[in-house]
């Protein structure tokens, strides 16, 4: 007989404040870890990740009308190790990095708010529908990061730094700003 570990969901309730790092703001109570699937709904206090904490989650779902503000910076990180669905707003107070580190996961929605810096660091992601991203870096550290377009359109609004792999397949890569940077990267058709 095989056993499987349950996915532990954390749903933002904002009952205490806007602070991501406050236990009471989550149902069930407790700050999310890299093992938790996080759901942000609209209404009430909307979550904000403070500049002095690390924030983690497995899957991240931001529903329509909801906003998650990322202030993590300096040596602090916001790291997502699962799928991303952004039908609401992922906002940044300034240029703060969001690291995607999962393998064989998906990205869906709109991540075009100014200052959204998305980094795929050793992870591999596939578009689940057309996706817009403000700024994307695909790194090639110990393991190259990669993104697969499938038959979808990936729109980069501001800047693309591509050191890993982009698998175009039958999809379209659209870069709206001439700041695109390509160094050592590979585009696979």
């Amino acid at each position: 007989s095989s056993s499987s570990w349950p996915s532990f969901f954390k749903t933002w309730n904002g009952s205490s404040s806007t602070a991501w790092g406050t236990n009471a703001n989550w149902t069930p109570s407790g700050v999310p870890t890299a093992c938790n699937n996080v759901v942000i709904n609209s209404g009430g206090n909307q979550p904000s990740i403070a500049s002095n904490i690390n924030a983690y989650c497995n899957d991240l779902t931001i529903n329509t009308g909801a906003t998650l503000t990322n202030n993590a910076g300096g040596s602090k990180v916001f790291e997502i190790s699962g799928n991303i669905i952004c039908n609401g707003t992922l906002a940044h107070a300034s240029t703060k990095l969001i690291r995607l580190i999962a393998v064989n996961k998906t990205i869906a929605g709109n991540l075009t708010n100014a200052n959204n810096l998305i980094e795929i660091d050793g992870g591999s992601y596939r578009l689940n529908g057309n996706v817009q991203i403000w700024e994307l870096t695909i790194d090639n550290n110990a393991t190259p990061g990669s993104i697969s377009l499938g038959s979808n359109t990936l729109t980069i609004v501001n800047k693309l730094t591509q050191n890993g792999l982009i698998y175009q397949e039958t999809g379209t890569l659209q870069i709206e700003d001439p700041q695109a940077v390509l160094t050592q990267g590979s585009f696979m058709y």
Side-chain angles (χ1 to χ4, degrees), residues 3 9 12 27 33 36 44 122 147 156 160 180:
S3 63
F9 282 85
W12 176 260
T27 302
T33 68
N36 295 123
I147 191 164
I156 307 297
L160 170 65

Side-chain angles (χ1 to χ4, degrees), residues 21-188:
T22 299
N23 290 334
N25 284 328
W26 296 97
T27 302
S29 181
V31 177
T33 68
C35 297
N36 295 123
N37 294 331
V38 168
V39 177
I40 311 293
N41 293 313
S42 63
N45 290 322
Q46 292 293 284
S48 180
I49 300 169
S51 62
N52 63 343
I53 68 167
N54 291 315
Y56 304 95
C57 68
N58 186 43
D59 291 353
L60 174 65
T61 301
I62 303 173
N63 287 320
T64 302
T67 298
L68 169 60
T69 301
N70 177 33
N71 295 303
S75 64
K76 303 301 179 186
V77 298
F78 179 31
E79 209 165 69
I80 301 169
S81 55
N83 302 302
I84 301 171
I85 300 171
C86 186
N87 293 318
T89 302
L90 181 55
H92 292 250
S94 61
T95 53
K96 306 300 182 184
L97 185 66
I98 298 173
R99 292 183 68 221
L100 308 182
I101 61 167
V103 175
N104 297 324
K105 299 297 180 177
T106 61
I107 300 174
N110 185 335
L111 301 163
T112 59
N113 268 19
N115 298 325
N116 269 346
L117 305 180
I118 308 294
E119 176 189 47
I120 299 176
D121 188 4
S124 60
Y125 282 80
R126 174 174 278 289
L127 300 188
N128 184 6
N130 296 333
V131 173
Q132 302 84 36
I133 297 176
W134 177 258
E135 187 169 312
L136 176 63
T137 297
I138 304 172
D139 276 337
N140 186 2
N141 294 321
T143 304
S146 68
I147 191 164
S148 299
L149 306 185
S151 61
N152 304 295
T153 298
L154 172 61
T155 302
I156 307 297
V157 174
N158 188 44
K159 184 177 179 183
L160 170 65
T161 303
Q162 208 291 83
N163 296 305
L165 303 169
I166 294 179
Y167 295 98
Q168 185 175 4
E169 299 168 277
T170 60
T172 302
L173 174 63
Q174 177 178 332
I175 302 170
E176 295 185 351
D177 192 291
Q179 292 185 52
V181 176
L182 174 61
T183 55
Q184 301 177 352
S186 297
F187 290 90
M188 306 297 188

